[in-house]
Amino acid sequence: MYKCIKGFTLEKCDDDGFTIEGEYIEIEEGSIWDIPEDENYRFIGGEVRLENKDSNNCFSWIEITKEHLLEHFIKV
């Protein structure tokens, strides 16, 4: 599991993996993310895929670079 230590925003992607112009997802400081069981699965070509289930049971996923992982997350 990874904890976000520095919030940031990313462009949203549609169901086909294309970015949605002008729409963003906010990754909140303190949010908890997991690497999925299939660590090699990528949908949009990121280096690291993280998944999150929030308190309302809404599922989110992001794909980021290893550099972003090191800058914005700590392993817990």
Side-chain angles (χ1 to χ4, degrees), residues 11-53:
E11 289 183 301
K12 281 188 176 183
C13 292
D14 64 20
D15 292 338
D16 295 316
F18 296 102
T19 57
I20 303 170
E21 189 174 325
E23 291 192 33
Y24 298 87
I25 180 173
E26 183 176 342
I27 310 304
E28 295 181 9
E29 183 177 329
S31 59
I32 302 295
W33 298 78
D34 293 308
I35 292 181
E37 284 185 34
D38 182 358
E39 294 180 19
N40 297 315
Y41 174 75
R42 303 289 183 278
F43 186 66
I44 58 172
E47 294 179 315
V48 178
R49 180 181 177 94
L50 296 174
E51 298 178 348
N52 169 275
K53 191 180 229 183

Side-chain angles (χ1 to χ4, degrees), residues 2-10 25-33 50 62 64 67-74:
Y2 287 85
K3 181 178 182 178
C4 179
I5 57 170
K6 181 179 173 186
F8 61 103
T9 58
L10 292 172
I25 180 173
E26 183 176 342
I27 310 304
E28 295 181 9
E29 183 177 329
S31 59
I32 302 295
W33 298 78
L50 296 174
I62 58 174
I64 57 176
E67 182 179 300
H68 274 102
L69 181 69
L70 293 173
E71 180 180 346
H72 296 275
F73 294 88
I74 59 169

